Amino acid sequence: MMSFFKKIGKCIANLFITKHNTMTNIVLFGKPGAGKGTQAEVLKEKYDLIHLSTGDIFRFNMKNDTELGKLAKSYINKGDLVPDEVTINMLKSEVEKHTDANGFLFDGFPRTTPQAEALDAFLATKEWKVTATIALEADDEVLVQRLLERGKTSGRADDQDEAKIRNRYEEYNEKTAPLIDFYQGQGKFHSVNGIGEIEEVTSRLSEVIDQL
Ligand code: ADP
């Protein structure tokens, strides 16, 4: 006969399994300026997810002049990606702060294949996984204009100079675009039109999320 404690143990294990299976971890994917941050602000409330934006975390550290901020600044202000090891470690420690979350909305991460592999491996240690990757699609020229507009008010050095913006697109094409194949290979890649009113784009994203 199964002892009482074994039964309790099994119950707890089942609870965990249920929690893992119901966790929704979404990677918001797209070129700089595609609207990931704007949409994440809405979606995090709607689906009760923890929004982790690596760009925001780097900017917070830059503003507070931390060691991480000083390091990141030298890359970000040129429009280059911050090295993988630094970014991956930072992301992991942010996730660790919210292990009781219903799920995460990853915004701006992963941006390279090693980052995507590290994310899968890290989530697996918790028996979690990426549920879906959703890309916001938009034409490069529209995006460059959006970023230059944003640069007028955001104070972001990387948004004020067209050469730096173009460099971010080169980084995207070279290092981030291969992730489309990576997630397509896992059957997790979705994309929606990122052009339109904010609410319109939110409903396109919600349609995908509601079917997961
Ligand atoms: P955008 O998508 O508009 O470029 P972000 O706020 O997502 O803005 O990122 C700003 C900058 O922060 C990037 O250009 C890059 O230098 C750095 N960064 C953000 N996320 C990552 C990442 N996952 N890997 C490497 N660098 C990153």
Side-chain angles (χ1 to χ4, degrees):
M1 198 181 80
M2 203 190 252
S3 78
F4 175 71
F5 287 110
K6 262 193 181 164
K7 271 189 192 157
I8 295 280
K10 220 176 163 194
C11 258
I12 293 172
N14 281 340
L15 272 177
F16 269 101
I17 289 163
T18 314
K19 165 113 179 140
H20 293 143
N21 289 344
T22 56
M23 206 174 178
T24 307
N25 295 315
I26 306 229
V27 172
L28 266 187
F29 191 84
K31 293 176 182 172
K36 301 183 293 287
T38 306
Q39 293 300 328
E41 286 303 315
V42 186
L43 295 175
K44 73 170 184 192
E45 299 296 337
K46 185 166 177 189
Y47 294 97
D48 190 21
L49 303 173
I50 299 290
H51 173 206
L52 290 185
S53 156
T54 41
D56 285 351
I57 303 166
F58 283 135
R59 279 185 290 277
F60 176 83
N61 279 279
M62 279 156 61
K63 204 169 120 205
N64 291 290
D65 215 20
T66 66
E67 284 309 309
L68 175 65
K70 283 182 209 155
L71 175 75
K73 194 173 190 166
S74 58
Y75 297 93
I76 291 179
N77 285 352
K78 282 188 278 181
D80 290 341
L81 291 184
V82 178
D84 281 336
E85 202 194 332
V86 176
T87 310
I88 291 165
N89 287 336
M90 178 183 85
L91 191 277
K92 284 184 187 172
S93 72
E94 288 299 319
V95 170
E96 292 291 2
K97 292 180 190 165
H98 304 280
T99 45
D100 57 347
N102 283 325
F104 292 90
L105 200 50
F106 297 107
D107 160 9
F109 186 94
R111 255 177 155 104
T112 64
T113 304
Q115 288 181 18
E117 286 167 350
L119 179 63
D120 279 354
F122 174 61
L123 294 179
T125 64
K126 303 191 178 300
E127 293 179 49
W128 299 344
K129 54 184 171 17
V130 169
T131 314
T133 294
I134 317 178
L136 286 170
E137 302 282 0
D139 182 76
D140 282 15
E141 291 314 311
V142 175
L143 294 180
V144 172
Q145 291 315 316
R146 271 195 198 173
L147 289 186
L148 285 168
E149 267 315 301
R150 182 168 86 183
K152 289 180 191 163
T153 52
S154 70
R156 279 179 57 169
D158 60 344
D159 280 350
Q160 288 170 16
D161 174 342
E162 192 161 338
K164 288 175 187 170
I165 294 177
R166 301 256 172 221
N167 187 46
R168 275 147 73 198
Y169 284 92
E170 275 169 34
E171 288 280 76
Y172 173 91
N173 288 330
E174 187 189 325
K175 297 174 183 163
T176 310
L179 292 182
I180 299 174
D181 274 352
F182 180 91
Y183 285 114
Q184 264 170 350
Q186 295 187 354
K188 289 181 182 167
F189 190 79
H190 306 260
S191 74
V192 305
N193 179 1
I195 303 292
E197 296 294 318
I198 293 176
E199 296 77 19
E200 256 180 274
V201 179
T202 307
S203 43
R204 289 178 199 142
L205 289 165
S206 302
E207 255 177 61
V208 175
I209 298 173
D210 292 340
Q211 282 173 16
L212 293 175

